[in-house]
Amino acid sequence: MDTDHPSWRALAGTLGGYGLILVAMTVLLFAIPTAIFVLL
């Protein structure tokens, strides 16, 4: 299997980008409101 092919880099970038977006949305939608609810 040729892992030096650019398509592997594109796959890694896509998965990494979606992962970062998912983490950011989870923090914005769940962690921050939960922290506000607990602190108030």
Side-chain angles (χ1 to χ4, degrees):
M1 194 156 67
D2 183 19
T3 56
D4 291 336
H5 196 272
S7 64
W8 288 104
R9 235 183 273 162
L11 176 67
T14 301
L15 293 177
Y18 275 110
L20 289 175
I21 291 170
L22 187 62
V23 167
M25 287 181 66
T26 301
V27 168
L28 286 173
L29 294 173
F30 295 102
I32 293 174
T34 301
I36 291 172
F37 180 76
V38 168
L39 292 174
L40 293 179

PDB file of all heavy atoms in Angstrom:
ATOM      1  N   MET A   1       0.852  -1.183   0.000  1.00  0.00           N
ATOM      2  CA  MET A   1       0.000   0.000   0.000  1.00  0.00           C
ATOM      3  C   MET A   1       0.897   1.244   0.000  1.00  0.00           C
ATOM      4  O   MET A   1       1.831   1.322   0.777  1.00  0.00           O
ATOM      5  CB  MET A   1      -0.903  -0.033   1.232  1.00  0.00           C
ATOM      6  CG  MET A   1      -2.016   0.939   1.156  1.00  0.00           C
ATOM      7  SD  MET A   1      -3.426   0.508   2.182  1.00  0.00           S
ATOM      8  CE  MET A   1      -2.778   0.683   3.817  1.00  0.00           C
ATOM      9  N   ASP A   2       0.589   2.191  -0.857  1.00  0.00           N
ATOM     10  CA  ASP A   2       1.409   3.384  -0.996  1.00  0.00           C
ATOM     11  C   ASP A   2       0.883   4.479  -0.073  1.00  0.00           C
ATOM     12  O   ASP A   2      -0.078   5.173  -0.376  1.00  0.00           O
ATOM     13  CB  ASP A   2       1.375   3.842  -2.454  1.00  0.00           C
ATOM     14  CG  ASP A   2       2.277   5.042  -2.684  1.00  0.00           C
ATOM     15  OD1 ASP A   2       3.163   5.273  -1.849  1.00  0.00           O
ATOM     16  OD2 ASP A   2       2.088   5.729  -3.699  1.00  0.00           O
ATOM     17  N   THR A   3       1.505   4.627   1.094  1.00  0.00           N
ATOM     18  CA  THR A   3       1.040   5.625   2.060  1.00  0.00           C
ATOM     19  C   THR A   3       1.625   7.000   1.807  1.00  0.00           C
ATOM     20  O   THR A   3       1.314   7.939   2.531  1.00  0.00           O
ATOM     21  CB  THR A   3       1.388   5.181   3.496  1.00  0.00           C
ATOM     22  OG1 THR A   3       2.799   4.940   3.574  1.00  0.00           O
ATOM     23  CG2 THR A   3       0.638   3.923   3.867  1.00  0.00           C
ATOM     24  N   ASP A   4       2.503   7.140   0.782  1.00  0.00           N
ATOM     25  CA  ASP A   4       3.048   8.451   0.437  1.00  0.00           C
ATOM     26  C   ASP A   4       2.159   9.199  -0.557  1.00  0.00           C
ATOM     27  O   ASP A   4       2.450  10.336  -0.897  1.00  0.00           O
ATOM     28  CB  ASP A   4       4.446   8.291  -0.172  1.00  0.00           C
ATOM     29  CG  ASP A   4       5.456   7.833   0.861  1.00  0.00           C
ATOM     30  OD1 ASP A   4       5.217   8.075   2.052  1.00  0.00           O
ATOM     31  OD2 ASP A   4       6.466   7.222   0.474  1.00  0.00           O
ATOM     32  N   HIS A   5       1.102   8.560  -0.995  1.00  0.00           N
ATOM     33  CA  HIS A   5       0.213   9.184  -1.979  1.00  0.00           C
ATOM     34  C   HIS A   5      -0.514  10.372  -1.334  1.00  0.00           C
ATOM     35  O   HIS A   5      -0.892  10.315  -0.168  1.00  0.00           O
ATOM     36  CB  HIS A   5      -0.805   8.144  -2.475  1.00  0.00           C
ATOM     37  CG  HIS A   5      -1.487   8.563  -3.730  1.00  0.00           C
ATOM     38  ND1 HIS A   5      -2.638   9.317  -3.716  1.00  0.00           N
ATOM     39  CD2 HIS A   5      -1.187   8.356  -5.039  1.00  0.00           C
ATOM     40  CE1 HIS A   5      -3.015   9.548  -4.962  1.00  0.00           C
ATOM     41  NE2 HIS A   5      -2.142   8.972  -5.778  1.00  0.00           N
ATOM     42  N   PRO A   6      -0.731  11.472  -2.081  1.00  0.00           N
ATOM     43  CA  PRO A   6      -1.391  12.663  -1.516  1.00  0.00           C
ATOM     44  C   PRO A   6      -2.806  12.402  -0.991  1.00  0.00           C
ATOM     45  O   PRO A   6      -3.289  13.153  -0.144  1.00  0.00           O
ATOM     46  CB  PRO A   6      -1.433  13.639  -2.692  1.00  0.00           C
ATOM     47  CG  PRO A   6      -0.363  13.191  -3.613  1.00  0.00           C
ATOM     48  CD  PRO A   6      -0.256  11.706  -3.438  1.00  0.00           C
ATOM     49  N   SER A   7      -3.457  11.360  -1.495  1.00  0.00           N
ATOM     50  CA  SER A   7      -4.822  11.109  -1.016  1.00  0.00           C
ATOM     51  C   SER A   7      -4.836  10.751   0.466  1.00  0.00           C
ATOM     52  O   SER A   7      -5.801  11.046   1.170  1.00  0.00           O
ATOM     53  CB  SER A   7      -5.476   9.994  -1.825  1.00  0.00           C
ATOM     54  OG  SER A   7      -4.786   8.773  -1.648  1.00  0.00           O
ATOM     55  N   TRP A   8      -3.777  10.123   0.965  1.00  0.00           N
ATOM     56  CA  TRP A   8      -3.710   9.815   2.399  1.00  0.00           C
ATOM     57  C   TRP A   8      -3.609  11.091   3.217  1.00  0.00           C
ATOM     58  O   TRP A   8      -4.194  11.212   4.292  1.00  0.00           O
ATOM     59  CB  TRP A   8      -2.525   8.891   2.705  1.00  0.00           C
ATOM     60  CG  TRP A   8      -2.754   7.505   2.228  1.00  0.00           C
ATOM     61  CD1 TRP A   8      -2.202   6.911   1.126  1.00  0.00           C
ATOM     62  CD2 TRP A   8      -3.616   6.525   2.814  1.00  0.00           C
ATOM     63  NE1 TRP A   8      -2.663   5.628   0.994  1.00  0.00           N
ATOM     64  CE2 TRP A   8      -3.536   5.363   2.020  1.00  0.00           C
ATOM     65  CE3 TRP A   8      -4.452   6.523   3.922  1.00  0.00           C
ATOM     66  CZ2 TRP A   8      -4.255   4.217   2.309  1.00  0.00           C
ATOM     67  CZ3 TRP A   8      -5.165   5.375   4.214  1.00  0.00           C
ATOM     68  CH2 TRP A   8      -5.069   4.238   3.410  1.00  0.00           C
ATOM     69  N   ARG A   9      -2.860  12.070   2.681  1.00  0.00           N
ATOM     70  CA  ARG A   9      -2.755  13.355   3.378  1.00  0.00           C
ATOM     71  C   ARG A   9      -4.108  14.069   3.387  1.00  0.00           C
ATOM     72  O   ARG A   9      -4.488  14.692   4.383  1.00  0.00           O
ATOM     73  CB  ARG A   9      -1.709  14.225   2.695  1.00  0.00           C
ATOM     74  CG  ARG A   9      -0.643  14.692   3.674  1.00  0.00           C
ATOM     75  CD  ARG A   9       0.330  15.613   3.009  1.00  0.00           C
ATOM     76  NE  ARG A   9       1.382  14.809   2.399  1.00  0.00           N
ATOM     77  CZ  ARG A   9       2.181  15.259   1.468  1.00  0.00           C
ATOM     78  NH1 ARG A   9       2.055  16.486   1.029  1.00  0.00           N
ATOM     79  NH2 ARG A   9       3.119  14.489   0.973  1.00  0.00           N
ATOM     80  N   ALA A  10      -4.839  13.974   2.290  1.00  0.00           N
ATOM     81  CA  ALA A  10      -6.160  14.592   2.217  1.00  0.00           C
ATOM     82  C   ALA A  10      -7.113  13.930   3.201  1.00  0.00           C
ATOM     83  O   ALA A  10      -7.890  14.610   3.880  1.00  0.00           O
ATOM     84  CB  ALA A  10      -6.708  14.478   0.800  1.00  0.00           C
ATOM     85  N   LEU A  11      -7.051  12.602   3.286  1.00  0.00           N
ATOM     86  CA  LEU A  11      -7.900  11.885   4.247  1.00  0.00           C
ATOM     87  C   LEU A  11      -7.568  12.290   5.669  1.00  0.00           C
ATOM     88  O   LEU A  11      -8.474  12.568   6.470  1.00  0.00           O
ATOM     89  CB  LEU A  11      -7.719  10.377   4.078  1.00  0.00           C
ATOM     90  CG  LEU A  11      -8.469   9.507   5.084  1.00  0.00           C
ATOM     91  CD1 LEU A  11      -9.964   9.621   4.871  1.00  0.00           C
ATOM     92  CD2 LEU A  11      -8.014   8.067   4.973  1.00  0.00           C
ATOM     93  N   ALA A  12      -6.277  12.346   6.007  1.00  0.00           N
ATOM     94  CA  ALA A  12      -5.872  12.725   7.362  1.00  0.00           C
ATOM     95  C   ALA A  12      -6.305  14.158   7.674  1.00  0.00           C
ATOM     96  O   ALA A  12      -6.785  14.437   8.776  1.00  0.00           O
ATOM     97  CB  ALA A  12      -4.360  12.581   7.505  1.00  0.00           C
ATOM     98  N   GLY A  13      -6.163  15.058   6.717  1.00  0.00           N
ATOM     99  CA  GLY A  13      -6.581  16.442   6.925  1.00  0.00           C
ATOM    100  C   GLY A  13      -8.080  16.570   7.109  1.00  0.00           C
ATOM    101  O   GLY A  13      -8.551  17.338   7.952  1.00  0.00           O
ATOM    102  N   THR A  14      -8.841  15.817   6.336  1.00  0.00           N
ATOM    103  CA  THR A  14     -10.291  15.848   6.453  1.00  0.00           C
ATOM    104  C   THR A  14     -10.749  15.326   7.814  1.00  0.00           C
ATOM    105  O   THR A  14     -11.553  15.966   8.499  1.00  0.00           O
ATOM    106  CB  THR A  14     -10.938  15.006   5.336  1.00  0.00           C
ATOM    107  OG1 THR A  14     -10.538  15.538   4.083  1.00  0.00           O
ATOM    108  CG2 THR A  14     -12.450  15.033   5.437  1.00  0.00           C
ATOM    109  N   LEU A  15     -10.218  14.175   8.202  1.00  0.00           N
ATOM    110  CA  LEU A  15     -10.599  13.610   9.502  1.00  0.00           C
ATOM    111  C   LEU A  15     -10.151  14.504  10.649  1.00  0.00           C
ATOM    112  O   LEU A  15     -10.887  14.691  11.627  1.00  0.00           O
ATOM    113  CB  LEU A  15     -10.005  12.207   9.652  1.00  0.00           C
ATOM    114  CG  LEU A  15     -10.564  11.144   8.704  1.00  0.00           C
ATOM    115  CD1 LEU A  15      -9.843   9.816   8.917  1.00  0.00           C
ATOM    116  CD2 LEU A  15     -12.061  10.984   8.891  1.00  0.00           C
ATOM    117  N   GLY A  16      -8.955  15.071  10.529  1.00  0.00           N
ATOM    118  CA  GLY A  16      -8.475  15.971  11.571  1.00  0.00           C
ATOM    119  C   GLY A  16      -9.333  17.222  11.680  1.00  0.00           C
ATOM    120  O   GLY A  16      -9.656  17.666  12.783  1.00  0.00           O
ATOM    121  N   GLY A  17      -9.697  17.778  10.538  1.00  0.00           N
ATOM    122  CA  GLY A  17     -10.536  18.972  10.545  1.00  0.00           C
ATOM    123  C   GLY A  17     -11.908  18.714  11.132  1.00  0.00           C
ATOM    124  O   GLY A  17     -12.401  19.484  11.955  1.00  0.00           O
ATOM    125  N   TYR A  18     -12.529  17.607  10.715  1.00  0.00           N
ATOM    126  CA  TYR A  18     -13.831  17.254  11.279  1.00  0.00           C
ATOM    127  C   TYR A  18     -13.726  16.977  12.770  1.00  0.00           C
ATOM    128  O   TYR A  18     -14.617  17.324  13.547  1.00  0.00           O
ATOM    129  CB  TYR A  18     -14.435  16.046  10.564  1.00  0.00           C
ATOM    130  CG  TYR A  18     -15.198  16.409   9.323  1.00  0.00           C
ATOM    131  CD1 TYR A  18     -14.713  16.080   8.060  1.00  0.00           C
ATOM    132  CD2 TYR A  18     -16.410  17.087   9.402  1.00  0.00           C
ATOM    133  CE1 TYR A  18     -15.406  16.419   6.918  1.00  0.00           C
ATOM    134  CE2 TYR A  18     -17.112  17.434   8.264  1.00  0.00           C
ATOM    135  CZ  TYR A  18     -16.603  17.097   7.023  1.00  0.00           C
ATOM    136  OH  TYR A  18     -17.291  17.435   5.894  1.00  0.00           O
ATOM    137  N   GLY A  19     -12.625  16.356  13.185  1.00  0.00           N
ATOM    138  CA  GLY A  19     -12.423  16.088  14.612  1.00  0.00           C
ATOM    139  C   GLY A  19     -12.332  17.374  15.413  1.00  0.00           C
ATOM    140  O   GLY A  19     -12.943  17.499  16.470  1.00  0.00           O
ATOM    141  N   LEU A  20     -11.573  18.351  14.906  1.00  0.00           N
ATOM    142  CA  LEU A  20     -11.455  19.631  15.610  1.00  0.00           C
ATOM    143  C   LEU A  20     -12.790  20.359  15.680  1.00  0.00           C
ATOM    144  O   LEU A  20     -13.143  20.933  16.709  1.00  0.00           O
ATOM    145  CB  LEU A  20     -10.414  20.510  14.907  1.00  0.00           C
ATOM    146  CG  LEU A  20      -8.961  20.084  15.054  1.00  0.00           C
ATOM    147  CD1 LEU A  20      -8.064  20.981  14.203  1.00  0.00           C
ATOM    148  CD2 LEU A  20      -8.531  20.126  16.503  1.00  0.00           C
ATOM    149  N   ILE A  21     -13.542  20.328  14.576  1.00  0.00           N
ATOM    150  CA  ILE A  21     -14.860  20.968  14.567  1.00  0.00           C
ATOM    151  C   ILE A  21     -15.788  20.285  15.568  1.00  0.00           C
ATOM    152  O   ILE A  21     -16.524  20.947  16.305  1.00  0.00           O
ATOM    153  CB  ILE A  21     -15.459  20.959  13.147  1.00  0.00           C
ATOM    154  CG1 ILE A  21     -14.671  21.897  12.245  1.00  0.00           C
ATOM    155  CG2 ILE A  21     -16.934  21.342  13.160  1.00  0.00           C
ATOM    156  CD1 ILE A  21     -15.015  21.784  10.778  1.00  0.00           C
ATOM    157  N   LEU A  22     -15.747  18.958  15.614  1.00  0.00           N
ATOM    158  CA  LEU A  22     -16.594  18.218  16.546  1.00  0.00           C
ATOM    159  C   LEU A  22     -16.246  18.540  17.991  1.00  0.00           C
ATOM    160  O   LEU A  22     -17.144  18.747  18.828  1.00  0.00           O
ATOM    161  CB  LEU A  22     -16.453  16.720  16.280  1.00  0.00           C
ATOM    162  CG  LEU A  22     -17.382  15.781  17.050  1.00  0.00           C
ATOM    163  CD1 LEU A  22     -18.834  16.088  16.694  1.00  0.00           C
ATOM    164  CD2 LEU A  22     -17.048  14.345  16.739  1.00  0.00           C
ATOM    165  N   VAL A  23     -14.977  18.602  18.295  1.00  0.00           N
ATOM    166  CA  VAL A  23     -14.553  18.949  19.663  1.00  0.00           C
ATOM    167  C   VAL A  23     -14.993  20.370  20.007  1.00  0.00           C
ATOM    168  O   VAL A  23     -15.523  20.615  21.099  1.00  0.00           O
ATOM    169  CB  VAL A  23     -13.024  18.786  19.808  1.00  0.00           C
ATOM    170  CG1 VAL A  23     -12.526  19.421  21.087  1.00  0.00           C
ATOM    171  CG2 VAL A  23     -12.650  17.314  19.772  1.00  0.00           C
ATOM    172  N   ALA A  24     -14.801  21.318  19.091  1.00  0.00           N
ATOM    173  CA  ALA A  24     -15.185  22.708  19.347  1.00  0.00           C
ATOM    174  C   ALA A  24     -16.688  22.832  19.560  1.00  0.00           C
ATOM    175  O   ALA A  24     -17.142  23.532  20.474  1.00  0.00           O
ATOM    176  CB  ALA A  24     -14.739  23.595  18.183  1.00  0.00           C
ATOM    177  N   MET A  25     -17.486  22.143  18.742  1.00  0.00           N
ATOM    178  CA  MET A  25     -18.941  22.217  18.904  1.00  0.00           C
ATOM    179  C   MET A  25     -19.391  21.569  20.204  1.00  0.00           C
ATOM    180  O   MET A  25     -20.318  22.055  20.860  1.00  0.00           O
ATOM    181  CB  MET A  25     -19.632  21.557  17.706  1.00  0.00           C
ATOM    182  CG  MET A  25     -19.539  22.374  16.451  1.00  0.00           C
ATOM    183  SD  MET A  25     -20.366  21.618  15.046  1.00  0.00           S
ATOM    184  CE  MET A  25     -22.061  21.663  15.579  1.00  0.00           C
ATOM    185  N   THR A  26     -18.738  20.471  20.599  1.00  0.00           N
ATOM    186  CA  THR A  26     -19.087  19.818  21.861  1.00  0.00           C
ATOM    187  C   THR A  26     -18.818  20.750  23.035  1.00  0.00           C
ATOM    188  O   THR A  26     -19.636  20.872  23.943  1.00  0.00           O
ATOM    189  CB  THR A  26     -18.290  18.509  22.023  1.00  0.00           C
ATOM    190  OG1 THR A  26     -18.590  17.658  20.914  1.00  0.00           O
ATOM    191  CG2 THR A  26     -18.649  17.803  23.305  1.00  0.00           C
ATOM    192  N   VAL A  27     -17.675  21.425  22.991  1.00  0.00           N
ATOM    193  CA  VAL A  27     -17.355  22.367  24.065  1.00  0.00           C
ATOM    194  C   VAL A  27     -18.360  23.508  24.087  1.00  0.00           C
ATOM    195  O   VAL A  27     -18.873  23.874  25.150  1.00  0.00           O
ATOM    196  CB  VAL A  27     -15.913  22.892  23.899  1.00  0.00           C
ATOM    197  CG1 VAL A  27     -15.646  24.073  24.818  1.00  0.00           C
ATOM    198  CG2 VAL A  27     -14.914  21.774  24.185  1.00  0.00           C
ATOM    199  N   LEU A  28     -18.664  24.078  22.917  1.00  0.00           N
ATOM    200  CA  LEU A  28     -19.584  25.215  22.867  1.00  0.00           C
ATOM    201  C   LEU A  28     -21.000  24.839  23.280  1.00  0.00           C
ATOM    202  O   LEU A  28     -21.677  25.607  23.965  1.00  0.00           O
ATOM    203  CB  LEU A  28     -19.604  25.804  21.454  1.00  0.00           C
ATOM    204  CG  LEU A  28     -18.368  26.610  21.048  1.00  0.00           C
ATOM    205  CD1 LEU A  28     -18.453  26.972  19.568  1.00  0.00           C
ATOM    206  CD2 LEU A  28     -18.245  27.861  21.891  1.00  0.00           C
ATOM    207  N   LEU A  29     -21.457  23.659  22.865  1.00  0.00           N
ATOM    208  CA  LEU A  29     -22.853  23.299  23.095  1.00  0.00           C
ATOM    209  C   LEU A  29     -23.101  22.594  24.426  1.00  0.00           C
ATOM    210  O   LEU A  29     -24.230  22.608  24.922  1.00  0.00           O
ATOM    211  CB  LEU A  29     -23.353  22.408  21.950  1.00  0.00           C
ATOM    212  CG  LEU A  29     -23.426  23.086  20.579  1.00  0.00           C
ATOM    213  CD1 LEU A  29     -23.773  22.060  19.511  1.00  0.00           C
ATOM    214  CD2 LEU A  29     -24.446  24.197  20.589  1.00  0.00           C
ATOM    215  N   PHE A  30     -22.078  21.961  24.996  1.00  0.00           N
ATOM    216  CA  PHE A  30     -22.291  21.179  26.213  1.00  0.00           C
ATOM    217  C   PHE A  30     -21.430  21.618  27.384  1.00  0.00           C
ATOM    218  O   PHE A  30     -21.939  21.834  28.479  1.00  0.00           O
ATOM    219  CB  PHE A  30     -22.060  19.686  25.939  1.00  0.00           C
ATOM    220  CG  PHE A  30     -23.053  19.107  24.981  1.00  0.00           C
ATOM    221  CD1 PHE A  30     -22.705  18.879  23.667  1.00  0.00           C
ATOM    222  CD2 PHE A  30     -24.339  18.820  25.387  1.00  0.00           C
ATOM    223  CE1 PHE A  30     -23.621  18.370  22.775  1.00  0.00           C
ATOM    224  CE2 PHE A  30     -25.271  18.311  24.505  1.00  0.00           C
ATOM    225  CZ  PHE A  30     -24.912  18.078  23.180  1.00  0.00           C
ATOM    226  N   ALA A  31     -20.142  21.756  27.181  1.00  0.00           N
ATOM    227  CA  ALA A  31     -19.246  22.058  28.303  1.00  0.00           C
ATOM    228  C   ALA A  31     -19.497  23.457  28.876  1.00  0.00           C
ATOM    229  O   ALA A  31     -19.593  23.619  30.087  1.00  0.00           O
ATOM    230  CB  ALA A  31     -17.793  21.908  27.876  1.00  0.00           C
ATOM    231  N   ILE A  32     -19.607  24.458  28.018  1.00  0.00           N
ATOM    232  CA  ILE A  32     -19.800  25.830  28.506  1.00  0.00           C
ATOM    233  C   ILE A  32     -21.151  26.002  29.188  1.00  0.00           C
ATOM    234  O   ILE A  32     -21.214  26.530  30.304  1.00  0.00           O
ATOM    235  CB  ILE A  32     -19.582  26.847  27.366  1.00  0.00           C
ATOM    236  CG1 ILE A  32     -18.109  26.828  26.953  1.00  0.00           C
ATOM    237  CG2 ILE A  32     -20.005  28.241  27.782  1.00  0.00           C
ATOM    238  CD1 ILE A  32     -17.790  27.677  25.754  1.00  0.00           C
ATOM    239  N   PRO A  33     -22.279  25.569  28.585  1.00  0.00           N
ATOM    240  CA  PRO A  33     -23.554  25.698  29.305  1.00  0.00           C
ATOM    241  C   PRO A  33     -23.575  24.916  30.621  1.00  0.00           C
ATOM    242  O   PRO A  33     -24.143  25.388  31.615  1.00  0.00           O
ATOM    243  CB  PRO A  33     -24.584  25.131  28.318  1.00  0.00           C
ATOM    244  CG  PRO A  33     -23.963  25.322  26.992  1.00  0.00           C
ATOM    245  CD  PRO A  33     -22.496  25.115  27.209  1.00  0.00           C
ATOM    246  N   THR A  34     -22.953  23.736  30.648  1.00  0.00           N
ATOM    247  CA  THR A  34     -22.916  22.972  31.884  1.00  0.00           C
ATOM    248  C   THR A  34     -22.115  23.707  32.952  1.00  0.00           C
ATOM    249  O   THR A  34     -22.519  23.783  34.104  1.00  0.00           O
ATOM    250  CB  THR A  34     -22.287  21.576  31.636  1.00  0.00           C
ATOM    251  OG1 THR A  34     -23.071  20.901  30.640  1.00  0.00           O
ATOM    252  CG2 THR A  34     -22.244  20.761  32.902  1.00  0.00           C
ATOM    253  N   ALA A  35     -20.980  24.275  32.546  1.00  0.00           N
ATOM    254  CA  ALA A  35     -20.168  25.041  33.503  1.00  0.00           C
ATOM    255  C   ALA A  35     -20.932  26.247  34.029  1.00  0.00           C
ATOM    256  O   ALA A  35     -20.899  26.550  35.234  1.00  0.00           O
ATOM    257  CB  ALA A  35     -18.866  25.477  32.841  1.00  0.00           C
ATOM    258  N   ILE A  36     -21.640  26.956  33.156  1.00  0.00           N
ATOM    259  CA  ILE A  36     -22.434  28.111  33.596  1.00  0.00           C
ATOM    260  C   ILE A  36     -23.528  27.668  34.558  1.00  0.00           C
ATOM    261  O   ILE A  36     -23.750  28.287  35.588  1.00  0.00           O
ATOM    262  CB  ILE A  36     -23.033  28.835  32.367  1.00  0.00           C
ATOM    263  CG1 ILE A  36     -21.916  29.508  31.566  1.00  0.00           C
ATOM    264  CG2 ILE A  36     -24.068  29.867  32.800  1.00  0.00           C
ATOM    265  CD1 ILE A  36     -22.376  30.081  30.251  1.00  0.00           C
ATOM    266  N   PHE A  37     -24.204  26.567  34.250  1.00  0.00           N
ATOM    267  CA  PHE A  37     -25.278  26.066  35.106  1.00  0.00           C
ATOM    268  C   PHE A  37     -24.750  25.678  36.478  1.00  0.00           C
ATOM    269  O   PHE A  37     -25.386  25.947  37.498  1.00  0.00           O
ATOM    270  CB  PHE A  37     -25.966  24.858  34.431  1.00  0.00           C
ATOM    271  CG  PHE A  37     -27.079  24.292  35.241  1.00  0.00           C
ATOM    272  CD1 PHE A  37     -28.306  24.935  35.318  1.00  0.00           C
ATOM    273  CD2 PHE A  37     -26.909  23.096  35.927  1.00  0.00           C
ATOM    274  CE1 PHE A  37     -29.338  24.398  36.064  1.00  0.00           C
ATOM    275  CE2 PHE A  37     -27.937  22.552  36.677  1.00  0.00           C
ATOM    276  CZ  PHE A  37     -29.155  23.209  36.739  1.00  0.00           C
ATOM    277  N   VAL A  38     -23.593  25.035  36.521  1.00  0.00           N
ATOM    278  CA  VAL A  38     -23.027  24.582  37.797  1.00  0.00           C
ATOM    279  C   VAL A  38     -22.546  25.757  38.630  1.00  0.00           C
ATOM    280  O   VAL A  38     -22.723  25.776  39.839  1.00  0.00           O
ATOM    281  CB  VAL A  38     -21.875  23.580  37.524  1.00  0.00           C
ATOM    282  CG1 VAL A  38     -21.067  23.318  38.778  1.00  0.00           C
ATOM    283  CG2 VAL A  38     -22.432  22.282  36.971  1.00  0.00           C
ATOM    284  N   LEU A  39     -21.957  26.762  37.965  1.00  0.00           N
ATOM    285  CA  LEU A  39     -21.399  27.894  38.709  1.00  0.00           C
ATOM    286  C   LEU A  39     -22.466  28.872  39.214  1.00  0.00           C
ATOM    287  O   LEU A  39     -22.237  29.558  40.199  1.00  0.00           O
ATOM    288  CB  LEU A  39     -20.394  28.643  37.825  1.00  0.00           C
ATOM    289  CG  LEU A  39     -19.119  27.865  37.506  1.00  0.00           C
ATOM    290  CD1 LEU A  39     -18.267  28.647  36.504  1.00  0.00           C
ATOM    291  CD2 LEU A  39     -18.322  27.587  38.777  1.00  0.00           C
ATOM    292  N   LEU A  40     -23.612  28.933  38.568  1.00  0.00           N
ATOM    293  CA  LEU A  40     -24.641  29.887  38.985  1.00  0.00           C
ATOM    294  C   LEU A  40     -25.628  29.344  39.979  1.00  0.00           C
ATOM    295  O   LEU A  40     -25.832  28.242  40.206  1.00  0.00           O
ATOM    296  CB  LEU A  40     -25.402  30.409  37.764  1.00  0.00           C
ATOM    297  CG  LEU A  40     -24.579  31.267  36.802  1.00  0.00           C
ATOM    298  CD1 LEU A  40     -25.457  31.695  35.631  1.00  0.00           C
ATOM    299  CD2 LEU A  40     -24.027  32.490  37.504  1.00  0.00           C
TER     300      LEU A  40
END
